[in-house]
Amino acid sequence: MNVGVLVFPGSNCDHDCQHVFQEVLGQSVQMIWHKETSLKGIDLVILPGGFSYGDYLRTGAIARFSPVMGAVTAFAKDGGAVIGICNGFQILLEAGLLPGAMLRNKSLHFICKDVHVRVENAATAFTEACQPGQVLKIPVAHADGNYYTDPVTLAAMQANAQIVFRYCTPDGKVTPEANPNGSLDNIAGIINPEGNVLGMMPHPERCAEDILGNQDGKLIFQSLLKAMKVKA
Amino acid sequence: MKAKIHVTLKQGILDPQGKAIEHALDSLGFKNAANVRVGKYMEVELKETDKAKADAQVKQMCEKLLANTIVEEYRYELTA
């Protein structure tokens, strides 16, 4: 599989994503500078975490106008697999590739810790290596992860099983206490109606190998390999 | 022309910064302060003398970039 990791000025999880796909999963990875306008030969696009453009104006608001985003939009419309992690998720929201918007965390704090998320939809290309309802421990690191959308969109997302991950307790209960940032309906990750664009706030690339003591994040990437019928 | 643009969270959307400031005002003794909303203020100079054209441009800027209308509202004034 040819993985394209986008690099915006201020991306800082780009090399983590490269490491996981290249060294842990043995795939070929191309780093794609945001000035590029082509995604030729790429099977999977990753929008990594970080602080693109210093989070100026709003998170992701400026990155979404980077030249490469035109190609990403065309790639996504063609059914290409796209995953946005943390700041990447924020960029996908600003670009309108996923519905909704991010607000500042309810506590106003930057939150950097392990959280638990429940796999609400295991029938996606990003989660098919997970069991339905499986609880994953994955770290978050963000100040703007308080997901918001209007009630009509939320109802449509619930009806279409577009809410893929929800913050939960270690034993899988979705409670207000398990919600780190005030996110609507405990939303931690969503997918588009077509099922090829996923955004998530937790960082699976930070927990995808044994030496880090947690491999839960690897399931997301293994799902993609499985969906694309690639051997790891 | 110059546009003076204000962007704030929509009414009904929780503004945690506003809430924190409201509590601080309260502890300073301003017991009558309520509903504090925090926003952004931007100035944009436009090489445009026609007010209607400038107005249309600023509106587009707000809709496309300066505000995220899912969660924010904007208002602006144009001065010569």
Side-chain angles (χ1 to χ4, degrees), chain A residues 198-221:
Chain A
L198 177 99
M200 63 189 294
M201 287 313 289
H203 284 273
E205 79 284 6
R206 295 190 185 179
C207 53
E209 56 189 314
D210 195 25
I211 196 170
L212 299 176
N214 178 4
Q215 300 194 75
D216 285 3
K218 199 172 169 183
L219 287 169
I220 314 290
F221 306 121

Side-chain angles (χ1 to χ4, degrees), chain A residues 45-63:
Chain A
V45 172
I46 303 181
L47 287 82
F51 299 84
S52 58
Y53 293 90
D55 282 350
Y56 295 165
L57 192 61
R58 295 180 306 277
T59 56
I62 307 205

Side-chain angles (χ1 to χ4, degrees), chain A residues 57-58 61-62 64-65 94 100-101 103-106 108 148-149, chain B residues 9 13-14 16-17 20 40 42 64-68 70-72:
Chain A
L57 192 61
R58 295 180 306 277
I62 307 205
R64 72 82 112 215
F65 291 107
E94 283 284 341
L103 296 166
R104 182 66 54 87
N105 291 343
K106 202 172 168 187
L108 292 175
Y148 175 85
T149 192
Chain B
L9 288 171
I13 288 185
L14 177 70
Q17 283 191 85
K40 297 174 192 135
M42 289 165 264
K64 286 188 173 166
L65 176 64
L66 304 182
N68 182 333
I70 298 173
V71 286
E72 293 172 324

Side-chain angles (χ1 to χ4, degrees), chain A:
Chain A
M1 176 158 71
N2 278 318
V3 181
V5 178
L6 304 191
V7 184
F8 298 95
S11 294
N12 64 13
C13 302
D14 43 345
H15 288 278
D16 303 53
C17 292
Q18 178 190 32
H19 171 80
V20 170
F21 268 100
Q22 212 163 270
E23 311 302 329
V24 182
L25 298 167
Q27 305 302 311
S28 102
V29 177
Q30 220 173 304
M31 305 304 274
I32 300 171
W33 183 234
H34 72 119
K35 296 278 191 198
E36 295 290 328
T37 52
S38 163
L39 293 168
K40 206 161 177 277
I42 298 295
D43 305 307
L44 165 71
V45 172
I46 303 181
L47 287 82
F51 299 84
S52 58
Y53 293 90
D55 282 350
Y56 295 165
L57 192 61
R58 295 180 306 277
T59 56
I62 307 205
R64 72 82 112 215
F65 291 107
S66 279
V68 76
M69 287 307 293
V72 172
T73 302
F75 181 81
K77 299 281 176 219
D78 265 355
V82 177
I83 177 168
I85 299 165
C86 196
N87 187 227
F89 184 11
Q90 294 162 339
I91 297 169
L92 291 174
L93 292 171
E94 283 284 341
L97 288 169
L98 288 171
M102 285 297 175
L103 296 166
R104 182 66 54 87
N105 291 343
K106 202 172 168 187
S107 64
L108 292 175
H109 292 139
F110 186 97
I111 301 165
C112 184
K113 63 172 186 184
D114 279 332
V115 298
H116 294 88
V117 295
R118 195 169 75 188
V119 179
E120 304 289 57
N121 183 351
T124 79
F126 305 88
T127 49
E128 64 176 74
C130 308
Q131 298 300 315
Q134 188 174 351
V135 176
L136 308 177
K137 184 172 84 174
I138 307 182
V140 290
H142 62 248
D144 301 76
N146 180 355
Y147 179 82
Y148 175 85
T149 192
D150 63 87
V152 178
T153 309
L154 178 66
M157 290 204 303
Q158 287 165 338
N160 294 336
Q162 282 175 255
I163 299 164
V164 177
F165 301 112
R166 291 167 88 205
Y167 299 111
C168 67
T169 60
D171 58 349
K173 293 197 180 67
V174 174
T175 65
E177 294 73 33
N179 186 342
N181 51 29
S183 208
L184 188 69
D185 201 29
N186 280 45
I187 286 174
I190 57 171
I191 200 164
N192 64 340
E194 295 77 19
N196 63 312
V197 179
L198 177 99
M200 63 189 294
M201 287 313 289
H203 284 273
E205 79 284 6
R206 295 190 185 179
C207 53
E209 56 189 314
D210 195 25
I211 196 170
L212 299 176
N214 178 4
Q215 300 194 75
D216 285 3
K218 199 172 169 183
L219 287 169
I220 314 290
F221 306 121
Q222 283 170 330
S223 294
L224 283 159
L225 297 187
K226 202 174 153 192
M228 295 188 190
K229 301 189 169 39
V230 179
K231 275 219 166 92

